[in-house]
Amino acid sequence: MSTRFTGRSAVVTGGASGIGAAIAELLSQEGATVTVLDLVAPDAASTAHRWQQCDVSDTESVERAVAAAAEEAGGIDIVVNNAGIGAQGDVTANSDEEWMRAWNINVVGMARVARAALPSLRRSDAASITNTASIASTAGLPQRVLYSATKGAVLSMTQAMAADHVREGIRVNCVAPGTADTPWIGRLLSQAEDPAAERAALEARQPHGRLVSAEEVARAVAYLADPQNRSSVGVCLAVDGGMDALRLRPQ
Ligand code: NAD
């Protein structure tokens, strides 16, 4: 069966868990050859994916993994820069080392993967890079200073890269999930005194009364990466139940 990504090769960073795993799954279901670049291996259930062990905070690791992915799949058409880590607290909460680590993974990590993949993307007739930004890119979230700084940078990096590469036929966009139901959020909720009550309160704060699913974010990524979509360029596509458009803010 031919589907929209048949014959396309995709790399998905952070594809072993949560949003990245859903993206890898959907692109694969829709015909792409998907290579997950992650610190850890995807679930055995995600057998459709190849995996290259990769730490996006390390240039050598990224260059090796991207080269291997391109060689094994015969090129790269789609990059999904999704790996990221969280950080909590006000401006006093994080040490210089924590700032540099989050910046290195969340921002430089995406630039590294894009840089390594560009020669392959230039050979594709429908290339795209989709970065995972966040509602934190624009919202002014309380107690998320470091995380927001990195995600704001992802948005501006996306727009600047979109300008640089549009004439080469490489479209660069980002998605901005609201609070998405992934192992990441599970880890945060498990630290609460009453995780079930905390989850219920979190859901109640969403405009549509529930968390965003990883699959919904994956569908937005697939839309932006679709080879038929030649005109979405420099877009930041919110998948947040209306949180941003309605000017609501998670507390
Ligand atoms: P997750 O923790 O479930 O998955 C993150 C994946 O990234 C893991 O597989 C992890 O191994 C991998 N990873 C972490 N550091 C890495 C590194 N240095 N090199 C390679 N891989 C690395 O998280 P998630 O909730 O699926 O988040 C994925 C992305 O979505 C992140 O960029 C996050 O900032 C963004 N996001 C998440 C939410 C949310 O509510 N979950 C909301 C907005 C944006």
Side-chain angles (χ1 to χ4, degrees):
M1 187 177 66
S2 177
T3 59
R4 62 181 156 163
F5 296 113
T6 297
R8 305 288 174 185
S9 157
V11 296
V12 181
T13 72
S17 173
I19 291 171
I23 295 167
E25 203 62 42
L26 182 63
L27 296 182
S28 173
Q29 280 167 10
E30 298 215 22
T33 300
V34 177
T35 308
V36 165
L37 269 49
D38 202 305
L39 294 170
V40 297
D43 265 2
S46 325
T47 44
H49 320 316
R50 298 150 190 249
W51 170 57
Q52 290 292 332
Q53 209 272 341
C54 175
D55 179 351
V56 299
S57 70
D58 181 88
T59 300
E60 205 182 301
S61 173
V62 167
E63 289 179 350
R64 184 205 51 75
V66 169
E71 189 178 330
E72 284 183 14
I76 298 172
D77 306 284
I78 296 163
V79 169
V80 183
N81 265 322
N82 166 80
I85 61 166
Q88 296 195 66
D90 69 12
V91 76
T92 65
N94 299 106
S95 66
D96 286 4
E97 289 70 28
E98 287 166 338
W99 271 84
M100 298 319 287
R101 176 163 182 267
W103 188 262
N104 197 14
I105 294 171
N106 290 8
V107 184
V108 190
M110 294 195 183
R112 272 187 197 101
V113 174
R115 193 168 62 198
L118 265 176
S120 294
L121 293 174
R122 288 190 172 115
R123 288 191 285 276
S124 169
D125 63 351
S128 67
I129 299 173
T130 307
N131 300 322
T132 304
S134 167
I135 186 149
S137 299
T138 51
L141 298 189
Q143 299 297 316
R144 294 285 190 283
V145 172
L146 168 51
Y147 181 67
S148 299
T150 66
K151 289 298 180 179
V154 170
L155 171 58
S156 48
M157 179 170 69
T158 299
Q159 292 166 334
M161 285 180 60
D164 282 340
H165 300 293
V166 63
R167 291 291 180 134
E168 299 183 292
I170 302 169
R171 297 178 305 103
V172 187
N173 296 289
C174 60
V175 286
T179 308
D181 200 356
T182 70
W184 171 324
I185 295 299
R187 287 191 296 273
L188 283 178
L189 289 175
S190 70
Q191 292 163 17
E193 217 165 274
D194 183 347
E198 189 66 25
R199 170 178 280 271
L202 191 58
E203 288 172 351
R205 288 200 292 274
Q206 310 305 311
H208 57 341
R210 63 170 176 80
L211 303 188
V212 171
S213 75
E215 290 71 25
E216 289 172 309
V217 182
R219 279 194 279 277
V221 170
Y223 167 75
L224 292 172
D226 189 331
Q228 303 283 334
N229 178 355
R230 303 308 305 154
S231 296
S232 291
V233 175
V235 165
C236 185
L237 183 50
V239 190
D240 62 3
M243 181 79 70
D244 191 48
L246 304 178
R247 305 286 187 269
L248 299 173
R249 296 295 177 250
Q251 294 305 306

